[in-house]
Amino acid sequence: MSRGFTKEDDAQTPPLIPPRAALPPGTPNYVTPQGLEQLRAELTALEAERTQAEANHDNDTDRTHQLSLYNGRIALLTERLGSAKLVDPAGQPPREVRFGATVTLRTVRGGKVGQERTFTIVGVDEADIAAGKVAFVAPIARAVQGQKLRKQVPLKLGPTEEIVEITAITYAGA
């Protein structure tokens, strides 16, 4: 098969566009002010990259494929931005775990007694485990949402269950 046929076949293959972070059906798309700003910055960057790709006249097949990718990613991001429901953490009850809270849990039974975990409950697009940001739909976030300071809560982690105490709740900007 000649290289010309390969390129033509490639051009007819629709691009695979990676999906956005999963949001369960019927679940509101809550975002923090920082999360909304991140989504807007991502859209601005994608639009700038698409504009640059439009100006590229080197190879029409590659350019068309690249533009399809950008257009698909921009469409998904625009849809996510359109469904965003801004929640200002500063307006949340200070002694209750809600969206936007930074929570510290200490294991009191099961697991490693005395172990502490701290994480912030954020929107699905903001979640970044390495940065200590957990999506509000994650099991650990669901287990503690609505709970109050000093409350002990069962936490199922795989096959084991721990009892953790909520030792701190803070909100950015509060």
Side-chain angles (χ1 to χ4, degrees):
M1 181 188 296
S2 77
R3 180 139 172 85
F5 288 115
T6 304
K7 278 297 193 186
E8 186 175 313
D9 290 345
D10 288 349
Q12 294 172 0
T13 304
L16 292 176
I17 300 163
R20 303 288 310 169
L23 189 62
T27 303
N29 180 24
Y30 296 125
V31 295
T32 64
Q34 296 82 9
L36 185 58
E37 190 52 43
Q38 286 173 352
L39 289 171
R40 288 176 177 157
E42 183 182 349
L43 180 60
T44 300
L46 279 174
E47 288 173 337
E49 289 173 26
R50 179 181 63 186
T51 299
Q52 192 172 16
E54 286 173 337
N56 180 5
H57 298 292
D58 293 344
N59 182 326
D60 281 344
T61 302
D62 288 344
R63 182 173 154 258
T64 301
H65 183 77
Q66 199 173 28
L67 288 175
S68 293
L69 278 172
Y70 282 121
N71 288 337
R73 289 177 62 201
I74 288 169
L76 289 174
L77 182 54
T78 301
E79 181 181 321
R80 190 58 66 95
L81 271 164
S83 69
K85 294 190 184 312
L86 181 64
V87 176
D88 186 356
Q92 301 286 34
R95 297 179 57 84
E96 187 174 323
V97 180
R98 296 278 185 96
F99 182 85
T102 297
V103 183
T104 301
L105 306 176
R106 184 175 40 82
T107 303
V108 294
R109 225 176 18 249
K112 296 180 181 175
V113 174
Q115 177 186 15
E116 288 197 344
R117 304 175 177 86
T118 300
F119 57 91
T120 303
I121 301 172
V122 297
V124 294
D125 290 296
E126 302 173 70
D128 179 356
I129 298 299
K133 295 180 176 184
V134 176
F136 71 99
V137 295
I140 194 169
R142 286 182 174 179
V144 297
Q145 286 181 77
Q147 302 296 332
K148 298 194 182 312
L149 190 63
R150 302 287 170 223
K151 174 84 174 168
Q152 291 190 2
V153 180
L155 189 63
K156 187 110 168 117
L157 301 171
T160 61
E161 184 175 273
E162 294 180 14
I163 303 297
V164 296
E165 181 180 351
I166 300 168
T167 59
I169 303 169
T170 58
Y171 289 93

